Amino acid sequence: MNRKIRILVIEDEQAIREGLIDVLVFHKYEVDSAATGPQGLEMALTGRFDLILLDIMLPGMDGYEICDRVRTADRDQPIIMLTAKTSDEEIVQGLKLGADDYVAKPFSIQQLILRIEAVLRRSQVGLEQARAISLSGIEIDTRNLTGTNGTKEFAFTKREIELLVYLAEHGDRPISREELLVKVWGYAKNLDIETRTVDIHIAKIRRKIELDPKDPQNLITVRGAGYRLMVGA
Ligand code: CA
């Protein structure tokens, strides 16, 4: 991964929030932060983050609710809960709601960084597994950005592969252009004027993976819902 790993810190205590930002930036992460529950939820739902560090006691909305709502929107979003409470019940509740891990405050920086690295490693297992995408008549090698139909090889751009990987990982449903812009492009705003970007990329991909790009069988349009990749067909 060449791009920087993006982390969202949702923590209301200024000293802890700023301390976390300093440490994470020092470790070469790109960091955004929120100081209230609603602001954190908004950022979590509209941005694209590799990991969310989520405090539990927050003004406006607590970390449990944020975790629950982020999970409902995106099952795969890695989340580490920051808890001042060390009772098993609190921790179990966080993990039940889908947090990947928790770190009890006060935490050592070294321990926190190790936990972050472990969660990021686990979350990339999915990418490893999606290394090859099998479509009707087409095999795509996501690592080498290439595809073949058995007789001809062709190259994809990195963005095209990211788009294909996201569609493949969610092959059980059509994905809206807005979701693709947020999750693949990392856009947070003005989605309505950017949806053509998605269409242009889809058209370019179809010229490579479809026998007849005007009658797509692999990357289909689901009217009113978005695009769906027919993986393993
Ligand atoms: Ca707090």
Side-chain angles (χ1 to χ4, degrees):
M1 209 185 304
N2 289 326
R3 68 180 178 85
K4 275 194 174 184
I5 292 174
R6 291 187 69 196
I7 298 182
L8 174 63
V9 173
I10 307 177
E11 164 68 74
D12 60 319
E13 277 167 77
Q14 190 182 353
I16 298 179
R17 186 176 64 249
E18 288 175 355
L20 281 169
I21 293 170
D22 284 350
V23 165
L24 294 170
V25 167
F26 178 78
H27 282 84
K28 305 279 187 267
Y29 294 112
E30 192 178 311
V31 187
D32 279 312
S33 69
T36 70
Q39 189 197 2
L41 179 67
E42 162 83 17
M43 290 175 76
L45 291 180
T46 54
R48 181 187 178 210
F49 296 97
D50 298 286
L51 175 70
I52 297 174
L53 292 182
L54 177 60
D55 186 27
I56 293 177
M57 301 301 287
L58 291 161
M61 180 186 299
D62 70 24
Y64 296 130
E65 185 173 352
I66 293 172
C67 184
D68 196 26
R69 290 171 69 163
V70 168
R71 265 289 171 275
T72 304
D74 177 6
R75 264 178 325 178
D76 303 326
Q77 171 68 60
I79 297 172
I80 294 179
M81 301 280 252
L82 304 172
T83 171
K85 310 180 172 184
T86 49
S87 85
D88 285 351
E89 201 176 87
E90 300 283 347
I91 290 161
V92 166
Q93 191 183 348
L95 295 177
K96 256 192 192 159
L97 286 172
D100 296 274
D101 204 350
Y102 72 92
V103 176
K105 290 190 264 188
F107 44 79
S108 82
I109 286 165
Q110 195 189 4
Q111 185 197 27
L112 177 71
I113 294 295
L114 287 175
R115 288 284 186 69
I116 288 173
E117 287 172 351
V119 167
L120 289 171
R121 235 183 355 258
R122 284 203 297 275
S123 75
Q124 279 164 20
V125 169
L127 284 181
E128 293 288 328
Q129 286 169 341
R131 183 175 174 180
I133 299 174
S134 298
L135 302 170
S136 175
I138 304 282
E139 284 290 317
I140 296 167
D141 182 334
T142 62
R143 176 103 21 114
N144 292 319
L145 314 183
T146 57
T148 178
N149 58 13
T151 54
K152 209 173 82 183
E153 265 218 19
F154 33 83
F156 294 96
T157 65
K158 211 156 180 216
R159 181 72 79 196
E160 287 168 357
I161 287 293
E162 285 170 354
L163 188 52
L164 283 164
V165 166
Y166 190 82
L167 288 165
E169 285 173 349
H170 303 84
D172 55 334
R173 63 179 170 95
I175 310 293
S176 71
R177 296 179 177 108
E178 289 75 15
E179 179 172 345
L180 291 171
L181 282 170
V182 170
K183 296 297 182 179
V184 178
W185 272 262
Y187 288 175
K189 290 201 180 86
N190 299 325
L191 296 183
D192 45 335
I193 57 169
E194 304 286 357
T195 50
R196 245 191 89 61
T197 306
V198 177
D199 300 339
I200 291 164
H201 279 78
I202 296 284
K204 283 164 75 179
I205 291 172
R206 278 179 173 156
R207 285 202 285 275
K208 297 172 192 176
I209 69 170
E210 300 290 355
L211 224 49
D212 177 5
K214 291 205 173 71
D215 180 25
Q217 305 295 317
N218 281 319
L219 210 181
I220 64 170
T221 300
V222 181
R223 195 185 291 254
Y227 295 110
R228 182 171 173 195
L229 192 66
M230 308 305 283
V231 280

